[in-house]
Amino acid sequence: MIEPKKQSKNRGFYVRMKLLNHNNGGNRNRGLFCYRYFKWVLWFSLSFYFFASFLFNHKPNTISKTTVPQYSKASRALIEYPETQNHRVSDSLNGLKIYVYDLPSKYNSDWLSNERCSNHLFASEVAIHKALLNSDVRTFDPYEADFFFVPVYVSCNFSTVNGFPAIGHARSLISSAIKLISSEFTFWNRSSGSDHIFVASHDFGSCFHTLEDVAMADGVPEFLRKSIILQTFGVKYDHPCQKAEHIVIPPYISPESVRKTLATSDVNGRRDIFAFFRGKMEVHPKNVSGRFYSKKVRTVILKKYGNDRRFYLRRHRFIGYQSEILRSTFCLCPLGWAPWSPRLVESVVLGCVPVIIADGIDLPFSSAVPWSEISVTVAEKDVGKLGTILENVAATNLSTIQQKLWDPRISRALLFHDRTVEGDATWQVLHALTEKLSRSHHRSRVLSE
């Protein structure tokens, strides 16, 4: 007989444990749900907070005296401007034709062994030659030429003492080239050189001397007085170093260096420097032949504004100085020994308002560059008032000046390229030559037939 099983005394304990385990599982599910819910709420709250903060704190750029809202557009135009074009440059130059003499290398290409020759501030003599060789205005038939270009590099003889170009050989080198072309060709003799072009890209142009008193005493060499001189020196008053037909050209600034500065710098940033100058400033200028460097203008600037926080003045060289120009609102362009300065070009192409301190200076390409509208001119006698003058400009018409200054066509007009593009510095030279076609023997002969 099978006896019925006895109920275990642990039965109640088993039921209680099962119920307890069931209740604990519910708590875990509810905890997991709460955790997930809390995580999503936290994520949504943080996202909403940061989005709201952006909307309330973000403000669009506004024009101020140290902000450059439109400059990046001009910068891109300069960087991306093509050096080749679909149409011929000569189409806009009245059919101009130039014959380039193929001189022995001692007159030009031999000097290029020194890399500085094609990159320093006097290198327009190299740049113009190179551009003409690649230009469609060049003719290989001298009998159809309007003008004749004589490529002599006189600014590449760098001193072993101070590194500056020594131009004591300039007159003899050019004279030698003229003797050569006049003996081998008939074109110089038939016009006495009036349709021949030379470049004199140093301090006092075709006077070929770095000190003005000596340059004035020597004057333009007799053998160049009937020719056309492309020179950086130019003044609006009578001067012995302008006693030849001439075209004022800008000093050479490498387009590649400008592009590199614009491409590697924050061109959308604020111009945190109010007034900038880096260069030679003598505390006690020396008397050189009765003259003082910069007519003491730079000395006055240093003494008056050297401790003025508005002025960023530096006397020593710095390879990255173009980045400082890019940060500046006003760039001081005082005279040195000569009235012109490479700072004129660098300031314009880097969007800094040039402050021209050089009485009577004749600036390059005034038909293409509206200098009076894009710069500030301060008389040499008023340099002690410079701070007040610039503050007044900043408070009144600075934005108007900047808007015109940042037109990329202006920058283009002041830079020389390896290949001429319409509107660039070489093109401006060629355009100026079209206004001198009365000197063309070829045109005169064609008209008389």
Side-chain angles (χ1 to χ4, degrees):
M1 177 176 175
I2 301 174
E3 295 181 354
K5 295 181 178 180
K6 296 181 180 179
Q7 290 185 349
S8 171
K9 295 181 180 180
N10 296 330
R11 179 74 176 177
F13 174 76
Y14 170 79
V15 174
R16 286 195 302 272
M17 287 298 294
K18 190 173 182 179
L19 289 173
L20 182 61
N21 289 337
H22 177 73
N23 290 337
N24 286 342
N27 289 336
R28 280 199 305 273
N29 289 336
R30 282 194 298 272
L32 182 61
F33 174 79
C34 291
Y35 171 76
R36 291 177 178 174
Y37 177 80
F38 176 78
K39 182 173 69 174
W40 281 105
V41 170
L42 179 62
W43 176 86
F44 178 82
S45 300
L46 290 174
S47 299
F48 180 80
Y49 170 80
F50 288 120
F51 180 72
S53 298
F54 173 81
L55 290 179
F56 283 107
N57 295 329
H58 176 71
K59 295 181 180 180
N61 289 335
T62 55
I63 296 177
S64 69
K65 73 178 182 180
T66 56
T67 302
V68 196
Q70 301 173 12
Y71 184 70
S72 59
K73 181 178 179 181
S75 301
R76 290 194 300 271
L78 177 62
I79 294 171
E80 298 169 2
Y81 190 78
E83 294 194 0
T84 58
Q85 332 185 99
N86 293 327
H87 66 280
R88 292 164 55 88
V89 168
S90 58
D91 292 343
S92 58
L93 295 170
N94 198 17
L96 181 70
K97 292 294 180 182
I98 297 179
Y99 181 80
V100 181
Y101 284 109
D102 186 13
L103 297 179
S105 60
K106 69 176 183 178
Y107 293 102
N108 41 62
S109 59
D110 281 355
W111 296 101
L112 296 177
S113 59
N114 187 326
E115 191 175 305
R116 284 185 62 198
C117 185
S118 56
N119 288 299
H120 68 142
L121 75 162
F122 300 147
S124 55
E125 61 184 6
V126 180
I128 293 172
H129 182 204
K130 186 181 293 186
L132 288 178
L133 291 177
N134 295 321
S135 174
D136 58 28
V137 303
R138 181 188 184 188
T139 178
F140 292 91
D141 181 0
Y143 290 96
E144 71 170 14
D146 295 306
F147 297 105
F148 297 80
F149 184 77
V150 188
V152 183
Y153 302 168
V154 300
S155 301
C156 295
N157 184 26
F158 299 103
S159 169
T160 56
V161 177
N162 56 26
F164 297 132
I167 55 175
H169 68 300
R171 290 172 180 256
S172 60
L173 191 64
I174 293 176
S175 175
S176 171
I178 292 174
K179 287 179 181 178
L180 178 64
I181 61 177
S182 62
S183 64
E184 295 190 3
F185 299 91
T186 62
F187 311 109
W188 175 275
N189 295 327
R190 74 183 183 184
S191 66
S192 298
S194 64
D195 52 2
H196 282 56
I197 304 166
F198 298 82
V199 181
S201 54
H202 21 79
D203 294 65
F204 294 99
S206 53
C207 283
F208 300 111
H209 205 282
T210 56
L211 295 179
E212 187 172 15
D213 57 331
V214 179
M216 293 175 67
D218 291 347
V220 178
E222 184 68 34
F223 52 77
L224 285 181
R225 291 183 184 176
K226 293 185 178 180
S227 298
I228 301 171
I229 313 297
L230 311 180
Q231 61 182 44
T232 44
F233 174 75
V235 289
K236 295 179 180 178
Y237 50 85
D238 187 53
H239 196 285
C241 297
Q242 295 185 147
K243 296 296 185 181
E245 189 71 23
H246 65 281
I247 297 170
V248 178
I249 62 173
Y252 181 81
I253 297 298
S254 166
E256 189 56 39
S257 71
V258 174
R259 290 190 184 97
K260 184 177 180 181
T261 298
L262 291 169
T264 58
S265 301
D266 182 12
V267 294
N268 290 314
R270 292 174 61 84
R271 290 188 177 265
D272 58 319
I273 299 174
F274 180 69
F276 169 75
F277 179 82
R278 181 182 287 276
K280 183 177 180 179
M281 290 182 287
E282 297 177 316
V283 179
H284 303 291
K286 298 177 182 178
N287 186 325
V288 180
S289 301
R291 295 174 183 268
F292 294 92
Y293 183 70
S294 189
K295 299 180 183 178
K296 294 187 177 182
V297 165
R298 298 190 187 190
T299 300
V300 173
I301 292 173
L302 179 62
K303 290 183 176 180
K304 176 80 174 181
Y305 300 106
N307 295 319
D308 191 320
R309 292 186 177 182
R310 298 171 300 174
F311 285 75
Y312 187 91
L313 307 177
R314 297 294 185 272
R315 301 171 62 190
H316 303 292
R317 294 185 180 184
F318 169 51
I319 195 170
Y321 70 96
Q322 285 189 350
S323 63
E324 296 173 324
I325 295 175
L326 199 58
R327 292 170 49 200
S328 304
T329 300
F330 296 103
C331 288
L332 309 186
C333 304
L335 72 163
W337 285 119
W340 63 271
S341 164
R343 296 171 184 84
L344 288 167
V345 175
E346 289 175 309
S347 298
V348 171
V349 300
L350 292 170
C352 181
V353 178
V355 181
I356 302 169
I357 313 171
D359 293 353
I361 187 173
D362 189 13
L363 297 163
F365 308 147
S366 56
S367 62
V369 182
W371 288 103
S372 62
E373 299 176 9
I374 65 167
S375 64
V376 176
T377 299
V378 177
E380 294 168 15
K381 65 179 179 61
D382 293 331
V383 71
K385 306 173 186 175
L386 192 56
T388 303
I389 293 171
L390 296 184
E391 286 286 3
N392 181 62
V393 172
T396 54
N397 61 333
L398 175 61
S399 59
T400 302
I401 294 173
Q402 288 177 323
Q403 186 176 8
K404 294 178 180 179
L405 173 65
W406 297 335
D407 183 341
R409 292 174 297 180
I410 294 177
S411 296
R412 192 179 310 144
L414 296 175
L415 294 175
F416 294 96
H417 298 90
D418 289 348
R419 289 186 175 274
T420 306
V421 291
E422 187 167 344
D424 79 349
T426 303
W427 188 93
Q428 300 296 338
V429 169
L430 298 175
H431 183 265
L433 288 171
T434 63
E435 299 175 355
K436 302 182 186 298
L437 285 172
S438 60
R439 287 174 164 256
S440 169
H441 183 273
H442 169 68
R443 299 271 175 140
S444 300
R445 181 174 57 81
V446 170
L447 290 175
S448 63
E449 292 178 352

